[in-house]
Structures are given as C-alpha cells and as structure tokens.
Amino acid sequence: MAGEPSVAPSVVSTAAGEAAGAPSTITVEGALAALPGPRTEVAGFELVWQQVVAEIGRARSIDLICHICPDGDALGSALAAGLALRTLGHDVRVSFGDDPQIVPESLAFLPGQDLIVPAADIPDVPELVLCFDVASEGRLGLLHDKAFAAPVLAVFDHHASNPGFGTHQLIDPTAPATAVLVDELLRRLGVPLDQELATCLYTGVATDTGSFKYAATTPATHELAGRLLGTGIRHDLISRQLWDTSSFGYLKVLAGALQRAVYEPAAAGGLGLVWTWVPYEDLALFGVTVEEIEGLIDILRRPAEAEVALVLKQDPDGTLRGSSRSKGAVDVALACGELGGGGHTYAAGFSARADVESVVGRFRAALRPVE
C-alpha cells in the first residue's frame, strides 16, 4: 500500500520452524536479551534475517504471496523475489488471494508474471511461504488458511500497523517500501541485480513513495533507485505506465466520482474530510476494473480544506474497499484498523460489507488528530 510509514518497533520471531498459525513472537528488545554480545536492534533484526535465509536455503518449493488487489510494491516485491529464487533453482510460485485474479493493467509490464498461479494452485500445506507487503492477515484473502498451514511463514513488510503474524517477521516501518527489504534479501542470497529484478523493485519503491515525493523517501531511497537505474531500466516508461496511462472509461468513472465528492469541514476534529464512492455499476458501464481506479485517492486528497480523504470502491458482491490518505495530522491507519484494515499513518485501507453511509460514519467517528 502506498504511503508514508511511521516508526514503530519491529517484531521478530524467537525460533525457526514454529507453526505459522501459532507463532511465538517477542519484541526486538526481548530477542536481544537472549543474545550474547552487543544488544542493538540491528543485532535482533540480523537474527531473523539469518533464520529466513537459512529456511530458504533448505526449501525446495517456495510459495510467494502478496496482498489481495496487489499494488506495485506488493506484486513487484513478490515477483522480484520469485525471479531471484528461480535462478537459484527453487520451485517457485507467486500468488495472491483474489478470485478472479486480476493483475492491474498498470502493472502488466512487470516481468516474471509466468510465475503467477491461482490461489487454488497453492498447496494446502506449503513447504515455505514468503509473504510480501501484507499489513494484516485479513489481506491474505483466499490464501489465509494455506499461508498459516505452512510450517514457516516469513513476513516481509513495512507497515507500522502490522501485528506481527507468521513465524518470522522482517517488518521495518522505516522502510519506504517492502521492495527495499526484497533488495536486501537478494543481496543476502547473492543474486545480482539485472533489468528484470530492477524493474520489479523500482516499481515497488516508486509506487509506495508516490514517485519519491512522500516523507518516507530518504537519501538511501534515492541511492537504491540509482542502483536500479544503473541496470539500464527505462524509468520514464515505467512511470508513464504507472501514472500517466488510463482508458477513456476511467475518465468517465473519475467524473462521476468527483461529482459525488462530499466535503465535511467538521470531521477529524475540525481538520476536514473529503470522501466519495464508486458504485460497481459505473465500473461495469464503462468497462473499468476496480484496480484501475486505485489512483483516484491521490486526486481526492488535493483540496487544501481537508486533512483526510477517503474513496470507497464497490465490488460486484457489494463489498466496499476503502482507501484513505492523511496529510499528517491524522493517523488513518488507526481509523482503518477499527474497520478491520490497516496501513500507514498517512495511507491506509480496509474492506467492509455495509452501506456507504454507515461505512463513512464509522470511518468518520474513528478519525483522531495525531497527538
């Protein structure tokens, strides 16, 4: 999920190979208490890296999964890791828990999509599962039970709201994208960057930093981008596909969504909320997928009068997918968490089965200024 993460303590697993459904997790500080030598957060995180790399080395078959309705960071991270592991001789599958599975048109250029299989093709009890950019287990969709049946479920993520599920957690809320963690994974596996890997990783970093404009972007982020560009990828073409290409139908859906937009100046403690929704009938009428309108939230967040923006997108079964953004004074991850979702302080989401007014009402009531 694109956004600007806030800092929170990472969570690490105490031992490799515990059942994914009943992990034993402690804080970094707790893990360090059992380690000899300097007690630093780096040392605790290093322990988990060593465990995960060792589990990968022992595995023959590896299933890589990301969150439902994948964005550039989720799918780019999973495909980059999958391509790298395939070069090392592993039997690799990439999947996400939607049915039907739809790769957004904006991500159709990503290499490695021959690795993608339907959720039904993932074994009921996988040997090893690597999970990418999933802020909460509810975002696993149809793959939830299969992921938790695996003896090893390693979670790579950068969402501060992540509760720390699975047996091994490589969760870094200071990272601007999960792709940053995948870059580190490739380094530890000894897989050099090539244009295919760089395309996937650049897509992940660029999407979750808002094309390097969000506050989470650091000098190290630009250094990583420089290394990726050094492989010869066409970042201009990637950016055009990600942000500057759409169908004509999208413009019609956008027009309807903006016509429905509501501004509530008293919401969020007087900081203001602007929200809208897109009924499934509009999508069907103009031949637009719900994935194609993911960028609508970045248009709705522009008004200077509102601190918070919310877009609700309706699925065929009536489910409302919420995307929210904050300009910094409200923690939308907490608000989305009260509706069963999560994410970053400034960018978060959720899914709900209810009518539009009640969902907006619950979201509005959950908005609190950052203290």
Side-chain angles (χ1 to χ4, degrees), residues 54-102:
E55 294 289 354
I56 291 173
R58 286 189 284 267
R60 182 189 64 82
S61 175
I62 303 177
D63 291 288
L64 302 95
I65 63 177
C66 59
H67 62 69
I68 55 176
C69 306
D71 58 9
D73 191 27
L75 193 58
S77 294
L79 289 175
L83 288 167
L85 292 171
R86 183 165 65 181
T87 67
L88 296 177
H90 295 279
D91 180 11
V92 177
R93 288 174 293 263
V94 174
S95 190
F96 50 96
D98 289 306
D99 184 20
Q101 262 185 358
I102 299 174

Side-chain angles (χ1 to χ4, degrees), residues 118-141:
D121 287 358
I122 300 298
D124 290 338
V125 183
E127 180 181 357
L128 168 62
V129 172
L130 305 183
C131 179
F132 300 93
D133 204 45
V134 179
S136 63
E137 57 185 86
R139 297 280 285 164
L140 291 169

Side-chain angles (χ1 to χ4, degrees), residues 243-257:
W243 292 289
D244 298 332
T245 302
S246 72
S247 66
F248 180 73
Y250 167 77
L251 299 181
K252 304 295 284 186
V253 171
L254 173 62

Side-chain angles (χ1 to χ4, degrees), residues 117 249 252 364:
V117 302
K252 304 295 284 186
R364 183 192 303 114

Side-chain angles (χ1 to χ4, degrees), residues 154-236:
V155 176
F156 296 77
D157 191 29
H158 71 129
H159 293 92
S161 64
N162 193 307
F165 63 92
T167 61
H168 300 72
Q169 299 84 32
L170 288 165
I171 302 169
D172 183 2
T174 68
T178 298
V180 173
L181 293 166
V182 178
D183 174 65
E184 176 65 12
L185 176 64
L186 303 190
R187 184 187 71 80
R188 290 171 178 269
L189 293 174
V191 178
L193 288 174
D194 59 20
Q195 288 190 7
E196 288 194 335
L197 294 172
T199 295
C200 292
L201 294 178
Y202 186 88
T203 298
V205 174
T207 52
D208 260 30
T209 60
S211 193
F212 305 96
K213 68 184 179 184
Y214 293 158
T217 305
T218 66
T221 312
H222 286 290
E223 290 172 2
L224 171 57
R227 287 195 289 111
L228 299 175
L229 293 179
T231 65
I233 60 173
R234 288 289 303 275
H235 66 285
D236 56 330

Side-chain angles (χ1 to χ4, degrees), residues 2 71 104 106 207 213-214 242-246 250 254 257-258 276 278 288-302 309 311 313 323 325:
D71 58 9
S106 62
T207 52
K213 68 184 179 184
Y214 293 158
L242 289 174
W243 292 289
D244 298 332
T245 302
S246 72
Y250 167 77
L254 173 62
L258 295 180
T276 191
V278 179
V288 175
T289 65
V290 70
E291 290 77 20
E292 191 175 350
I293 62 172
E294 286 299 312
L296 173 57
I297 185 64
D298 293 315
I299 297 174
L300 201 70
R301 71 187 296 189
R302 293 180 183 179
V311 174
K313 299 149 288 185
S323 295
R325 297 290 186 271

